[in-house]
Amino acid sequence: MRATPLLNPDTAISFPEFVLLKASAGTGKTHALTLRFTQFLLSEKIKNNDLRQMLAITFTRNAAKEMKMRVVQWLKDCCFGQEETVSQLQELVSLNKEDLKVRARVILENLLSRYTDFQVMTIDSFMAEVFRASAVDLGVSPDFEITLNASPLIDYAFYRFLRKVTSSSPEGKRLAEIAASLQALGKADAAFIWDPTSEVKTKFIELYHQLEAMNRRPRRENRSEELTSLQEKVRRAAESVETIVEATELRRRQNAAFWSLLPKIKMGYLNDLLDKSWDSPPFNKPRAGSGSQELAYESAVLKWKEFLEAVNAYKELYARTFFLPYLETYDDLINLLAEVKKEKGVVLLEDINRRLSSYLGQGIVPDVYFRLGERIYHFLIDEFQDTSPVQWTNLRPLVENSLSQGGSLFIVGDSKQAIYGFREADYEIMMNLERGREFFPSVETQVKQLTLNRRSRKEILDFVRMVFPDGIKTLQKYAAKAAKSGLDDYEATVSEESSSGHRPPGYVEVHFIERDKEPTEAENSEEAGEETEEELADQETRVKSKVQAIIAELKARGYSYSDIAILTYRNEKAIQAAAWLNEQKTPFIPFSALDIRKRRVIKEILALLRFLDFPPDNLSLSTFLLGELLAKKLALDGEPLSSQAFHDFFFRCHLNHDYPAYVALRRQYPAIWQNYFDPLFKSVGYLPLYDLTTQLYRLFNLFDLFPEEEAALVRFLEVIKEFEGTGKNSLREFLLFASETGGDESVWTIDVAAEVEAVRIMTIHKAKGLGFPVVILLLYPERKVYPLFYLAEAQPLDEGSAAWVLKLNKSIAQASPELASVYEQYQIKDDVNRLNTLYVGLTRARQELYVVGVRGKRKEFPLDIFEDLTLSEDARYAPSEEKPPAKREKQEPVGKTVATLKISAPLSLPLAEEKHIAREEIRRGEIIHSLLALIEYADQDFERTLATSAAKLKKLAPHLEIPEEIISLIAASLAAPELRSYFEPKEGRVVFREMELVGPEGALYRADRVVIDPDLITVIDFKSGRIKEEKIKEAHRMQLRNYQQILREVYPEKKVQGLLVYLDEKYWEMAE
Amino acid sequence: MKIRILPPEQDLVELIAAELAAFQPDLGRFWVVFPERRPAYYLRKALFKKVGHGYIPPRIDSFDDFVDHLYAEKFGVKDKKASFLEAVGILYQIHRQSPIPLGGQAFLGFDEFFPLGLKLYHDLEELKQAMVKPEALREADLLVQLNLPPETADRLQSVSFFYQRFYDEVKALGLSTPAGRLSFVIDHFSAEAWENESFILAGFFSLTRSEAELVKKLISLPKTTLYLMAGRGLEHLANSLDIRLEEAEKPSSLSDGKESGRAEWKFFMAPDTHGEIFALNRELEPKLKQPDKLNVKQVVVLPAAETLFPLYHQTLAGLPPECFNISLGYPLTRTPLFSFFDSLFSLIQTIDEESRFYLPEYLRFVLHPYTKNIYFPGPPRRAEFTRILFHLIEETLTQQKGKLFWSLEEIENNPRLADSLNRYVLSDPEAPEAEKLLSHLKQIHEKTIVPFLEIKNLKDFARKMARITEYLENESTASRHVFFEPYVRAFLNQLEALEQSFVSSFRFDHPRSYFNLFRKMTAEASVPFPGTPLRGLQVLGFWETRCLQFDEVYLLDMNEKVIPATGKTDSILPYAVRKAFGLPTYEDLERRIEYYLDVLTRGAKKVSFYFVENSEKEKSRLVERLIWEKQKKENETDASKFIQAVRYQVALSSAEPGPIAKSEAVLDYLREFRFSASALDAYLSCPLKFYYSFVLRLEEKEEITDVLEKKEIGLLVHAILDRFFKRWVGKPVDPEKLTEVELRQAVAEEFASKFGQDLSGSAYLIKHQVEAHLLDFLRNYQLPLIRKLAVQGKSFHLLGLEERLEDTLEANGTVFKLVAQVDRAEKRGDRIYIVDYKTSAKNKAYEIRLDKLQLGVRSTWPEAVGSLQLPLYNLLWAARHRQPPEEIFAVLLLLGKNYLSEDIEYLPFGEKSEARREALGIMLNFVKALLLEITNPNIPFSCDLAKEDSCRYCVYTSLCGIEK
Ligand code: SF4
């Protein structure tokens, strides 16, 4: 069988070509992609296949790196004639074996020497490149920096905005109004917003991200008056219902929410109505034939309908105006943000996408290609399902242009694995292409499917198949949604090796952890509340024991911890699972990365730095004094003090009000202070951050005392290095940076190598693209997440690209078909996302899969799927009773480990001498020297010579101010005939100015003036300023003697004398 | 003419020195030209060795200096070398005249234009270097092979607009640019006049078209010698010089086509820079232990300058200074001097109409190490007084939460600051008087901030910066740092260039523009560490290694994006245009790196490559290729066989804080302790928290933030309500006289006393909200309550505000002290109510779930009892007034609810006497049990007893040692 039957041999490809390759989990899409890339490079039949004409787009930078590596590896293997590689490539490239090897070598070497042209990158970096090439056109400073993190900019813009907020400013007025309306819109029991600023800001940020991703501005319409009148209408309608019911004998329907809400309605609090859906009138229908009652009923129903209409109208308007207060400030803030970005010369990733989307549409593509250096003919795109609409908008014209020129597009993706809906990715783009709803006019779409699963063993695949696609199709609740991303219809075949018995069988085990007691009728209904805590606790304990037991069993059977991954939907559950493992002292890595700020030793280092920055900070001092770091160091130094002593110390400080504590410490423990604090306390004054930290490391022998924390300690130094790279290096700023949460935390985390013996715990999202020998999939009831805003295209599209920002919930959405449809769309997206996530979770395991479901009170996603498919009974899915033998995955680290050396001698940095430097003086001296250097021989009138010299100097430095004083000074100082003679021409005399002389070690000197006469050489040095210290004069003499010495060596036959002239002092001395 | 090709292992400099030495003392007639300046040091040193004594050196120049010297000396042209600022200034003026300026309206300010101008300047110089005629550029669209899209053609028109005018302008201003000088020299070159010159051209590889032109002319002279190093891609140079390498003089080892002896290559992979350095240390270990083994034939190459300081501190700093030598350019923006100015300018940018500054920025500036270490005048001068001064300022101003804008005068004359200075002065016998400290503060303001409040023009700006730099140099500890001096020099050079240029008369409307320009200029600049004299281990930037031969080479940071540094050329001219006009492309740059790397590594006996490999970084293509070469040579399919990796130990444990035993002293203290509800609540939440907070009294340092925290809003609301109700204490409240006017006034007074009169930003909004909400409170809760009572014929009698209650409680023979402070006590009819204000909306945190509480089961405590506040009030009030506790109604008022009504009262245990008595009884026992536990010597303070989630808002997460 051909390895990748889906790729056509180069002779069979006709251009333009568009292939959309559907690749289910584990089917080796990267393989297909890299193989195609390699094929194109190697083929002599495919046109326009120079490196520069091909572009592969990946989802992450890591993936790009990996893909490059793989292509290189293909080529290398091919050069070495590696059987499998060569035969795979031979199927695709029409070259014989030998030619192929030779060609591979040529291509590889070409690739390595033109690596810049080897274009494998993320879509963001590609777009950034396009943007960079267009920056000037777009009016963006060409030195712009791209930043991914908008929050510091938003913070700054927001603070600028706040400055304008005062009692008399329009901004202040507006925000005050917002504050008032915030209250009006909140529910009675909600928290009052004392400080509306942060509220406005948080909402702004959220809104900003969503609107930017859609490339829209919010639509604003102020309809508050209408809202008031609708409120009034609702109230009146409600009252008429009440009046009719009261006036007639109609019976109120018990439990009808209307009656309990009526008082609130009358008071004008309508917000509590928003959650309610009204099925039937709040009064009973009289028995048939009761005459007047029936009539009353009829008219009451009419009133009731009026009421409902009013409520709906109110809801509709409410949905559209809820966020108005925030939108009011949106434009202001956006403008400020733009200003800030411009000032700082930064561009946000979203700006790139947004601005390109209007730019790239204008037939500018050939020009863009020209600026990029070359047209890209062949596009290969990975993980296509995660493309966002705006990305696709930008990419499409480029692709279209290539196709029209006979290029190709090769898209690989799996809409079933689209789980980044929250990042605005849209799997529908892929579905639309797949199903022909979108297409390229110049080319036919070839849809192909990779079906051979290379990851999972047969039993796992069989199990997954029972859910997706076989099971899900039969579930009415999910079938349609599953169809949206293709979960109901795909193939996955087991790789030969696995089915032919070459590999040991796989294994699946399912456990459903029941709740403690059976749910009652009522609980099963929609109204059922949350589980009570103790119910959860007991169930939780059982889940915990189960997971712990599974891990223990796996370990006992021979798996290593690093073979096991625990996957969950949500972060909180992952954290909880981490706690379970911690309890058992099982090593684990949360989310495959560790934040070093959580390590104790780092906390103590930070505390010490904090103390050094602000000595009165007693808490930081105590953190350090009572901590582990100092204790270890004291023990190392044989200091008998225990940390108890410091506990007592702080206790005494408290009792005696002896603060700040460091002063007390210095007094009470002078030796401790002297040895461990004083050196740092002194150098914090002038040492830059990195230097200070290194000094601290050495002072406390950190690498020696905490060998196990090596990674964290090194990372900390790296962070500081990177921090200084951002142009900041004050300790204070660093500490602020260290206490920031949110934002980019990756600088603080250490990657943990795959071979480290620890269970991986992560969310399914993080596990995407990864495979593990054993997976424990923890499933809890997953409630829906409701977005804060619902965005909808403003209809009609009159304001360009505006969007409605809607407040919706199930009940409000019913108010109008339009709202309902928006709501519905979001719901579907969310559902598809959740289903896809389940699919991803189920398909990560290679050998063994454990599904642990934790039942909730109600039947809820995703557990309901298993229940409805009767897969929720504890069961094993394996060919035999016995569990298969463990197959550990050897994680071969690259290269052999090399030993390192960290210098641990205490760091004492040299101190510069304290001296007073008068820059003005120095500058004046330089001018004097420059003037003198321009004089070969002087006129009778020395001043005139100097003036000429000054004029020359002015030409070289037109903006230099030459003070008159200098000229007269020089003239006066050199007036003495003894000195003047050296400026006069003479028979056989040669004059050198600024003569270069070389002394020992090749040191270069410049003598101010060297006058060479037939048998005498005079070397002259001019000095400016008034020199008080004899020491300095002595140094001058030394220097002169040095010149004389060199000249004597060069001209052994001549006599050499030295002349030192102190111009300001009008004094000179001659040295023989 | 003579052309000699040398094998890479040959020391070019040594060879030239040996050949020159023969001509001593007549060296002055030689003119040696290298691609850059650095080999001159080596040559002079080598010559000294050969000559054996001092000498007058030959001229030794870098190519650029060489051209400049020819220009000024041979041709005697006297003009000023245009600085890049001037060049950009000229371009800017042309830009402003352009009918269709580049980028439309986007770059009309000089500071905005600066980066674009710089780019343009580079492009123009390159065009000039490539000897492109302005007409040719203008007519580029006619070049068929280019097939220019119309947009590019337009853009080229703009460039040609600049190209034409720029050089005319340069000349008119009496200036010259490097490319201009070069082209002048070529135009005026005369073979006859130069016949007798002895030029030695050495070590070139890549030359622009006009450089090649000049070299061609020079090598046509009889006494010129051209030395080239054999290396990858040398044929490109040969082509550009029209010479035939085969005809050059070279050793037989090169002619027979064999590659010269390969050094031992090692590859080291590390997760980060420090890993590379630690692996390097291991390689260097024997030499680090015996520094005399370090010599100039060993080099550590730093393609990324930012590795300098890690290397310096982790490797070099332990060595005697004469054992190593650093030469490279270090980015100026990484220096503390830059960050000093940056924070100064950020501060000034925050100034508002009333000349007030944003406090966080002010603090950032004054706490910058350079500012806070300005000497307090002596003698002896002492910096620590300044440090203390600014720390006290921080402390004082931070406490005045909500006031975020301060003028300098407000700070200088702040009475609280004066107070705290006075207090400090009393505590430190050496301290100067408070007044002196304050005038010191004024002085610092005057020297640093004040000058920039008004800037006349760029010259004024540059002068002022220079003056501050000098001030720091002489008046702070900054200059004690060994690298400070080079930083200062680099800065002053920048400023001088600014001051000495015609742009110095440019003026801007907004100070921001000056600061922007400063930042952009600095981004371009670096601090040169020239590294002389030459001795010991050489630490060089990559380009600094050119023309030098080493035996041991350690190359750090061999990563993509470092070497080569950038991807495609950063230019306004597209690739095809550059190519068509013969301008260098990214390929040329890469070829150049490859060549010099090839020569460097093949010339050595031992080469170690270090690179970082992690999720962000990948190894350089250069390494990739070398590995491939090794693979080919050794026929090894697995590349990783050649790589040695640095790996770190990772600790995965997550420690739990250990218990803390109670010493006798602590127990004594606890037995005497006055327990408040918050102390008991803290203990319930986590005993360690209680220990740190109430036994050791460790408190978090206050941070300045732009939002008021919940706690502070709570305090404000309490204070306002106190003001408002004060006059009713001891009296029945008359609802008609409890007016909104008074309430508004209370709000206004309280805010004024905390934040001053004119509020802005969030403080203003908070005031707005507080006022609105308290009015709601009055209208919808307080007045209706009193009126309702009145309807029932009952009065509302205010018993007290902020009343302190104290009592003792006996448990198991020990008598404990309990205290409480109640917000408000009142009598509604006959019933006594104790009211506590809360600014939150939920009562969850205060709930007591008797159904969950089992006194005998300790683990039920934390989850069952939210807070002991209300029960304690109840018990204490009852005890003081000798009333049955169940008849005292302690309630919370949840003022944080969105809508206020009578529903905001939270009363635990219900209204029924029986139930209340029982519940309060249980609570009494609970409190006793808790007190006994706290004072039980056998139960240490331990987080085992803590509430779940107690760590989330805890301030002791660093102190207690938890790793979460
Ligand atoms: S962080 Fe947690 S364990 Fe440590 S003191 Fe605070 S609450 Fe207790």
Side-chain angles (χ1 to χ4, degrees), chain B residues 35-52:
Chain B
E36 66 139 351
R37 286 185 181 156
R38 190 155 177 82
Y41 301 118
Y42 289 81
L43 181 56
R44 283 193 287 263
K45 187 177 173 186
L47 265 173
F48 186 85
K49 249 207 186 134
K50 297 257 150 45
V51 171

Side-chain angles (χ1 to χ4, degrees), chain A residues 425-495:
Chain A
D426 189 355
Y427 62 91
E428 281 191 54
I429 301 170
M430 176 151 181
M431 292 308 282
N432 288 343
L433 286 166
E434 184 185 325
R435 305 202 171 154
R437 289 190 288 253
E438 188 183 343
F439 52 85
F440 292 99
S442 52
V443 61
E444 201 183 312
T445 312
Q446 304 174 41
V447 178
K448 299 184 176 185
Q449 191 174 4
L450 277 176
T451 55
L452 182 71
N453 187 303
R454 294 153 186 272
R455 178 183 293 144
S456 307
R457 291 186 183 166
K458 178 169 179 298
E459 289 66 22
I460 296 174
L461 288 180
D462 289 346
F463 177 76
V464 176
R465 197 173 300 119
M466 289 195 277
V467 184
F468 299 117
D470 294 354
I472 204 80
K473 277 193 286 207
T474 65
L475 300 182
Q476 203 208 343
K477 187 169 167 201
Y478 292 110
K481 285 164 188 161
K484 289 264 171 196
S485 67
L487 274 172
D488 63 333
D489 178 22
Y490 72 95
E491 274 177 59
T493 51
V494 180
S495 81

Side-chain angles (χ1 to χ4, degrees), chain A residues 603, chain B residues 656-657 685-690 692 942-944 946-947 949-962 964:
Chain A
K603 285 184 185 176
Chain B
E656 293 268 335
S685 160
C686 171
L688 287 176
K689 207 188 259 186
F690 169 81
Y692 292 129
S942 156
C943 67
D944 290 347
K947 240 180 219 175
D949 226 26
S950 58
C951 301
R952 176 131 27 129
Y953 300 108
C954 180
V955 298
Y956 302 114
T957 43
S958 291
L959 179 52
C960 74
I962 197 157
K964 264 193 189 165

Side-chain angles (χ1 to χ4, degrees), chain A residues 178-194 269 271-272 318 322, chain B residues 769 772-777 780 838-842 894-901 903-904:
Chain A
I178 292 179
S181 53
L182 280 176
Q183 185 186 19
L185 291 168
K187 289 195 190 154
D189 257 359
F192 176 74
I193 298 165
W194 295 101
Y269 289 177
N271 297 348
D272 291 357
Y318 174 89
F322 182 85
Chain B
Q769 288 295 84
H773 207 54
L774 290 183
L775 286 172
D776 258 3
F777 160 80
N780 297 329
K838 296 285 173 215
T839 39
S840 51
K842 297 242 169 353
L894 299 166
L895 299 175
K897 283 194 193 288
N898 200 17
Y899 284 95
L900 302 177
S901 65
D903 292 349
I904 63 171

